[in-house]
């Protein structure tokens, strides 16, 4: 398991109050593969809180990814939904958990909130 992924999972409980503000609740199992080896992470999400362990299910959803892709997601170099749509990773179960979990990943470098860009543009026009 990469140090990047380890640090990411360790950071989740402290970041959960800011990220999980909605009513999301459930368990997501994340399987990360490197060659013939697979590491398992169980993430229990509730509003404002996350519990992380190195166990397997039962889970409401299962996300399978290569460890390399996951590291790129953690660094903001890839996007989870795009990876699933390109079949670089697979997901099954409660999609709301996947959509909520992806909010823990950073935005790609140079990404800006479109609302901020619109406000700047409006200010220039005035």
């Amino acid at each position: 398991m990469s140090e990047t992924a380890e640090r990411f999972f360790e950071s989740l409980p402290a970041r959960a109050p800011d990220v999980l503000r909605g009513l999301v609740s459930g368990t997501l199992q994340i399987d990360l593969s490197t060659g013939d080896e697979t590491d398992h992470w169980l993430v229990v999400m509730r509003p404002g809180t996350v519990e992380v362990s190195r166990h397997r299910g039962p889970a409401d959803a299962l996300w399978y990814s290569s460890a390399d892709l996951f590291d790129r997601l953690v660094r903001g170099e890839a996007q989870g939904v795009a990876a699933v749509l390109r079949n670089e990773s697979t997901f099954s179960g409660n999609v709301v958990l996947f959509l909520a979990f992806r909010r823990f990943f950073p935005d790609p470098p140079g990404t800006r909130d479109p609302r901020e860009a619109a406000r700047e543009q409006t200010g220039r026009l005035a």
Side-chain angles (χ1 to χ4, degrees), residues 41-119:
W41 295 89
L42 199 62
V43 180
V44 180
M45 294 184 276
R46 293 183 193 92
T49 184
V50 166
E51 296 171 25
V52 178
S53 68
R54 296 293 303 262
H55 299 94
R56 295 180 73 171
D60 302 304
L62 174 64
W63 181 22
Y64 177 83
S65 172
S66 70
D68 179 58
L69 171 61
F70 195 82
D71 285 350
R72 292 192 339 251
L73 291 164
V74 169
R75 292 190 303 264
E77 298 170 357
Q79 293 186 356
V81 173
V84 170
L85 293 174
R86 284 193 305 267
N87 206 28
E88 292 177 333
S89 67
T90 59
F91 180 83
S92 64
N94 185 346
V95 72
V96 172
L97 297 174
F98 175 71
L99 295 175
F101 185 79
R102 72 187 177 124
R103 294 178 57 209
F104 283 104
F105 295 120
D107 292 327
T111 301
R112 294 181 15 181
D113 185 328
R115 295 170 293 191
E116 288 298 319
R119 286 184 195 114

Side-chain angles (χ1 to χ4, degrees), residues 6 21 38 67:
E6 290 274 352
R21 288 178 251 142
T38 301

Side-chain angles (χ1 to χ4, degrees), residues 16 23 27 29 32 36 48 52-53 60 78 102 110-111 122:
L23 298 176
T27 304
Q29 180 177 313
L32 303 177
D36 293 338
V52 178
S53 68
D60 302 304
R102 72 187 177 124
T111 301
T122 303

Side-chain angles (χ1 to χ4, degrees), residues 25-40:
S25 187
T27 304
L28 172 63
Q29 180 177 313
I30 301 170
D31 292 344
L32 303 177
S33 70
T34 306
D36 293 338
E37 192 175 312
T38 301
D39 291 307
H40 307 283

